[in-house]
Structure formats: C-alpha cells, structure tokens
Amino acid sequence: MFLRRIARPLMAKVKETTGIVGLDVVPNAREVLISLYTKTLNEIQTVPEDEGYRKAVESFTSHRLKVCQEEEDWEQIEKRLGCGQVEELIEEAQDELKLLSMLNEWDPWGVPDDYECEVIENDAPIPKHVPQHRPGPLPEEFYNTLEAVTPHPEKDTPAGTSSESQPKE
C-alpha cells in the first residue's frame, strides 16, 4: 500500500513513448531544451539586430527557454508551450541551430547597399538565362470538376424565394 501511494505518482511522470514513429523519448528533455535554446540565443547574435528573422527567433526562443527554466516537469513544459511534445521541441531547436549555421555561411544580410537587382516588368520579354516560374494552364477537366463541386446558391433556389423559412400569417 505504501509503495503504491509513493511510486504511482512518481511513475506517472515517466514517459514511455512519444507515440510518434521514429521519435524516441528523451529522459532529460528539459536540460536538453535549455542547452539548445541557450545555444540558439548565442548563435542568433551573429544576425544583424534589425533583421525580422533575428527578432522572431529571439522572441520565441527566449519565451521557450524561460518556460523550461521555470518548470521542472516535462508535462508542464508541453502544456505551457502548447507546441507539441518536448521531443518535438528538441527536433525543432536542433533544426533552428542547423539553419542558423547555414545562414551564417550564406550571409543573406550581407547584400551591399548599392546592389541592383534586375527587375522584369510583366510585359517585358524574359531573358533566356532567367528561369520562368509561371505554371502552365490547368487542364479543362480541372475547371469542369471545380464547377461541379462548387455550390451555386443562386441556381439552387428559385427566384423570389429564400432558403429561410418565412412566417405564416
């Protein structure tokens, strides 16, 4: 009886499975998240302060780090963040760090102020070296199917009547 009272609440805190194929349980998820979020906040410092990406990453990472530091229990972390399981959060944080390292390598914010981009007007002929990203026309069957599945209230109701019931006199 004594062991059931003590052990049952402790055993409830142990996650046996994530329920997601290929995503294993991380027993020390809180510590892993704190470490990843701290690394992310350090890495994001290389991005210029006025970039929207930096502002967004700092904002949500700081919030998540704060929650992880305040909560000891993985269930409470998941509940407060509302962004999935802690194991999913770990994968997201790892992906963010990978992206940050790629962005630091690519340096997309290092475009010189005097850089001029070639602008193509709608009616101007597209140079051969520029790929066209315009999809071709859709097949006629698409429009026929769309017409068949789209409700047309004006066709369904005879003129002068309404679908709402009218009060009887």
Side-chain angles (χ1 to χ4, degrees):
M1 176 92 166
F2 174 76
L3 285 176
R4 286 186 189 161
R5 277 192 191 162
I6 302 299
R8 187 167 286 150
L10 293 175
M11 294 299 288
K13 300 294 181 188
V14 176
K15 187 187 272 191
E16 293 180 16
T17 180
T18 61
I20 301 172
V21 175
L23 188 60
D24 295 330
V25 173
V26 179
N28 61 337
R30 178 181 176 265
E31 292 78 18
V32 172
L33 282 171
I34 290 173
S35 171
L36 288 169
Y37 291 149
T38 304
K39 286 179 187 174
T40 301
L41 289 173
N42 289 335
E43 285 288 319
I44 199 70
Q45 299 304 313
T46 59
V47 177
E49 287 183 26
D50 59 336
E51 291 297 328
Y53 173 71
R54 175 176 172 167
K55 292 174 186 175
V57 170
E58 280 180 331
S59 174
F60 76 77
T61 304
S62 297
H63 171 68
R64 290 179 179 187
L65 177 60
K66 182 180 176 217
V67 169
C68 289
Q69 290 170 336
E70 291 173 357
E71 300 292 344
E72 295 286 330
D73 183 30
W74 59 268
E75 289 176 319
Q76 289 302 315
I77 293 171
E78 289 177 358
K79 184 178 179 182
R80 279 189 58 191
L81 291 178
C83 295
Q85 299 183 43
V86 287
E87 290 81 6
E88 292 175 294
L89 294 170
I90 289 171
E91 282 195 344
E92 286 178 15
Q94 290 169 338
D95 290 344
E96 196 69 56
L97 278 170
K98 287 178 193 170
L99 177 61
L100 268 168
S101 69
M102 288 182 219
L103 289 174
N104 286 332
E105 179 185 332
W106 298 333
D107 191 27
W109 8 86
V111 178
D113 290 335
D114 61 341
Y115 178 81
E116 289 190 22
C117 180
E118 181 179 359
V119 178
I120 300 172
E121 298 295 329
N122 286 341
D123 297 334
I126 299 174
K128 291 182 181 173
H129 71 279
V130 177
Q132 293 188 32
H133 298 288
R134 295 180 186 160
L138 294 170
E140 188 63 34
E141 301 89 47
F142 172 81
Y143 296 104
N144 295 338
T145 305
L146 184 64
E147 185 69 28
V149 297
T150 306
H152 297 285
E154 64 277 354
K155 289 182 181 178
D156 297 339
T157 341
T161 64
S162 141
S163 60
E164 298 175 9
S165 61
Q166 298 192 5
K168 294 184 179 179
E169 297 176 17

